[in-house]
Amino acid sequence: MKRSGIADLPLHGGRVPGWLAERMTKLGTAIAEAIIRTMALPRFPFASQRSFWFQALGAVMGMDWHSSGITTSVMAP
């Protein structure tokens, strides 16, 4: 099946509240650890080249501002 299309991911202003950033860090860490353990991989298989997967991970972590700050939020230590 051929997949094609366009995603409109506008940038928005503002900052992520500290309490949300802390929760997203904990949840993102837990998700990464679960994937590593389940798939028995030496490192997290980051699918950053798949933009919808990356957006979905950010949304699951709680980042609901579309694309603004999602890279920082998902990749933050």
Side-chain angles (χ1 to χ4, degrees):
M1 170 172 30
K2 183 178 178 181
R3 293 171 49 172
S4 65
I6 296 172
D8 183 21
L9 303 172
L11 296 177
H12 302 283
R15 294 185 58 112
V16 174
W19 63 268
L20 179 56
E22 185 178 329
R23 286 183 181 188
M24 289 183 351
T25 299
K26 290 177 183 177
L27 183 56
T29 300
I31 291 170
E33 288 174 354
I35 291 173
I36 291 167
R37 288 186 182 128
T38 302
M39 300 179 83
L41 298 171
R43 60 188 174 93
F44 187 57
F46 216 72
S48 61
Q49 295 180 9
R50 296 182 176 157
S51 59
F52 289 110
W53 188 92
F54 195 85
Q55 281 293 130
L57 177 59
V60 166
M61 290 170 53
M63 184 63 177
D64 61 351
W65 287 283
H66 301 295
S67 57
S68 298
I70 199 142
T71 302
T72 302
S73 299
V74 172
M75 300 295 293

